[in-house]
């Protein structure tokens, strides 16, 4: 098979307030992405939809379509973006090895460090030194409770810390992070973390100490059954955990269904669970996907991706969500059966062993027709939509 390039893209959120007309009884009916006021959801920017569960975007800048546009025989598959710090954005992107001809997401040579003046790039690569590390890195910036000093931490098995996004990096001794594909957050002086399958939230007061279980991520269905969030949604992975300005907890995931083997551009792609305290979790039923497959660019083009994985969210200094970056495949199209490119799993790229990937995955996309261009009006409530 020839070299297939996988690229990255990134765009900007649409800043407008959405109102879903009639039907909410509490903020839970608004996915905790807005407030229920007089029976109507008033959605926080940039959330939209009848339950404030869908992200709305501006058109994606074409300049951000490929943030690691280097054709190499090795792979990249998304990493976190930090910044701006002194006017620079920092992308920490895993560089996957090519051992005996096998390109694997589980064989990382190092973490590349790219910098840019804009979050959409272009990013400079090869200037900053590479960082030792494993698969699926995460990043957490927090202020020490004792001194107020800003700490930059890179999570990829070990937890590395620095007082600058440029390093140098020191491994924190003791226990590492909370698992593979980790998603950390710092809240009220305490660290919390979930990992790949999103079944539990863990906590510790000091990095390097043991992680303890804070909660099981379970949801109660309309029939009264309590089930694991992960088991409710076919397969969820690649979590991103955050706590919003109201103190509400959220997790967004890549989600897929292995029975969906073609027309991947309309396949299951994302999931969202939310909580007021990080212990009792809720979902919308039927499920509401926060993002879908199609990205619209400011040069008038668009692309429907077969998969969008490893979401990383970016917030401004007011705590408002502004950008999302994801791992993407720019080669495989919806017209190609997913099993042609990905023989072991359907509309998902778990081990890109047959393709050469040149991209880290920075992606923001339209949630529906015209929603990326203008604020929509009120939404009619689907009476069958219930929060659990």
């Amino acid at each position: 098979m020839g070299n297939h390039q996988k690229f990255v893209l990134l765009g900007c959120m649409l800043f407008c307030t959405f109102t879903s007309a009639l039907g909410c009884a509490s903020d839970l009916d608004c996915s905790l992405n807005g407030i229920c006021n007089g029976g109507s959801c008033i959605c926080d920017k940039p959330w939209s939809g009848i339950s404030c569960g869908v992200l709305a975007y501006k058109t994606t800048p074409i300049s951000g379509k490929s943030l690691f546009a280097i054709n190499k025989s090795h792979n990249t598959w998304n990493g976190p973006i930090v910044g701006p710090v002194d006017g620079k954005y920092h992308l920490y992107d895993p560089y996957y090895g090519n051992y005996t001809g096998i390109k694997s997401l589980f064989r990382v040579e190092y973490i590349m460090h790219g910098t840019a003046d804009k979050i959409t790039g272009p990013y400079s690569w090869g200037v900053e030194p590479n960082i030792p590390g494993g698969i699926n890195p995460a990043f957490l910036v927090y202020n020490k409770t004792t001194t107020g000093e800003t700490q930059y931490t890179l999570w990829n098995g070990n937890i590395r810390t620095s007082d600058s996004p440029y390093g140098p990096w020191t491994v924190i001794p003791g226990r590492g992070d909370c698992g593979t594909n980790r998603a950390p957050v710092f809240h009220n002086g305490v660290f919390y973390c979930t990992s790949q399958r999103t079944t539990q939230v863990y906590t510790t007061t000091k990095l390097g100490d043991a992680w303890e279980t804070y909660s099981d991520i379970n949801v109660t269905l309309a029939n009264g059954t309590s089930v694991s969030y992960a088991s409710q949604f076919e397969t969820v992975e690649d979590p991103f955990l955050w706590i919003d300005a109201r103190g509400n907890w959220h997790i967004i995931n890549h989600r897929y269904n292995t029975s969906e083997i073609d027309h991947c551009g309309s396949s299951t792609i994302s999931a969202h669970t939310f909580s007021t305290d990080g212990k009792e979790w809720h979902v919308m039923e039927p499920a509401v996907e926060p993002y879908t497959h199609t990205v619209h660019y400011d040069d008038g083009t668009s692309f429907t991706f077969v998969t969008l994985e490893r979401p990383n969210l970016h917030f401004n200094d007011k705590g408002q969500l502004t950008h999302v970056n994801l791992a993407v495949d720019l080669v495989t199209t919806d017209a190609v059966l997913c099993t042609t490119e990905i023989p072991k799993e359907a509309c998902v790229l778990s081990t890109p062993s047959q393709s050469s990937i040149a991209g880290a995955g920075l992606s923001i996309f339209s949630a529906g027709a015209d929603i990326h261009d203008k604020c929509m009006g009120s939404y009619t409530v689907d009476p069958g939509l219930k929060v659990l």
Side-chain angles (χ1 to χ4, degrees):
M1 179 175 290
N3 285 341
H4 287 239
Q5 294 182 358
K6 307 296 191 285
F7 293 88
V8 297
L9 48 137
L10 187 139
C12 309
M13 295 252 179
L14 174 61
F15 293 106
C16 52
T17 300
F18 291 82
T19 303
S20 65
L22 304 177
C24 64
S26 73
D27 293 352
L28 290 172
D29 295 315
C30 307
S31 306
L32 296 181
N33 289 324
I35 59 173
C36 180
N37 186 4
S40 298
C41 286
I42 301 176
C43 303
D44 299 331
K45 306 168 186 178
W47 296 95
S48 67
I50 60 177
S51 60
C52 303
V54 177
L55 290 167
Y57 298 92
K58 288 182 178 179
T59 302
T60 300
I62 192 64
S63 63
K65 189 174 183 179
S66 181
L67 299 184
F68 183 66
I70 303 174
N71 186 10
K72 288 181 175 288
S73 62
H74 296 222
N75 307 323
T76 65
W77 200 234
N78 202 21
I81 299 176
V82 178
V85 180
D86 297 329
K88 291 288 186 180
Y89 290 88
H90 301 259
L91 169 57
Y92 301 90
D93 192 16
Y95 191 59
Y96 297 98
N98 184 5
Y99 298 88
T100 62
I102 299 175
K103 306 177 184 70
S104 171
L105 295 181
F106 297 95
R107 298 181 178 184
V108 176
E109 290 196 4
Y110 44 76
I111 305 297
M112 298 181 296
H113 180 185
T115 59
D117 295 329
K118 296 181 180 180
I119 196 170
T120 52
Y123 281 80
S124 297
W125 298 100
V127 177
E128 302 303 324
N130 298 321
I131 306 167
I135 64 174
N136 307 349
F139 208 97
L140 177 65
V141 182
Y142 71 97
N143 293 327
K144 288 184 175 180
T145 54
T146 53
T147 64
E149 295 176 306
T150 300
Q151 292 295 292
Y152 300 89
T153 58
L154 180 63
W155 301 49
N156 51 3
N158 293 317
I159 303 175
R160 290 174 167 80
T161 184
S162 176
D163 59 5
S164 166
Y166 294 97
W169 302 94
T170 301
V171 174
I172 296 176
R175 295 289 295 271
D177 55 28
C178 69
T180 61
N181 226 345
R182 66 291 298 162
V185 70
F186 184 69
H187 180 61
N188 291 338
V190 179
F191 297 93
Y192 300 91
C193 184
T194 190
S195 57
Q196 169 75 342
R197 294 305 177 191
T198 323
T199 56
Q200 293 178 310
V201 175
Y202 306 96
T203 186
T204 185
T205 56
K206 181 182 178 183
L207 296 181
D209 286 355
W211 291 91
E212 299 178 354
T213 300
Y214 179 73
S215 69
D216 295 319
I217 306 175
N218 296 330
V219 297
T220 303
L221 304 181
N223 61 13
T225 303
S226 178
V227 299
S228 167
Y229 162 69
S231 66
Q232 170 65 5
F233 286 137
E234 299 93 25
T235 302
V236 294
E237 62 172 5
D238 302 346
F240 187 93
L241 168 68
W242 79 99
I243 300 174
D244 66 25
R246 297 190 190 93
N248 297 316
W249 297 56
H250 302 264
I251 300 173
I252 199 170
N253 294 85
H254 172 232
R255 171 188 170 206
Y256 64 95
N257 187 335
T258 55
S259 68
E260 298 173 341
I261 61 172
D262 56 16
H263 300 295
C264 295
S266 57
S267 65
T268 301
I269 195 66
S270 61
H272 174 222
T273 184
F274 46 93
S275 172
T276 59
D277 58 6
K279 291 181 176 291
E280 296 184 10
W281 291 87
H282 307 268
V283 295
M284 301 305 297
E285 189 181 18
V288 176
E289 293 190 86
Y291 56 84
T292 52
H293 292 260
T294 300
V295 182
H296 297 262
Y297 298 107
D298 61 6
D299 65 351
T301 63
S302 64
F303 196 94
T304 298
F305 292 91
V306 297
T307 187
L308 295 130
E309 305 181 19
R310 298 190 179 172
N312 280 274
L313 277 60
H314 189 86
F315 300 84
N316 64 19
D317 57 4
K318 297 180 180 179
Q320 187 174 61
L321 175 58
T322 61
H323 297 81
V324 182
N325 57 293
L326 302 99
V328 298
D329 175 349
L330 195 59
V331 175
T332 310
T333 66
D334 194 32
V336 178
L337 292 180
C338 292
T339 49
T340 301
E341 287 292 317
I342 311 159
K344 292 185 178 180
E345 292 185 275
C347 306
V348 58
L349 191 66
S350 61
T351 305
S353 58
Q354 299 190 45
S355 301
S356 173
I357 299 178
L362 290 181
S363 174
I364 289 184
F365 37 86
S366 167
D370 296 329
I371 204 167
H372 57 288
D373 289 329
K374 60 185 179 181
C375 294
M376 305 298 285
S378 297
Y379 290 83
T380 301
V381 164
D382 179 351
L385 188 67
K386 300 182 183 299
V387 65
L388 299 175

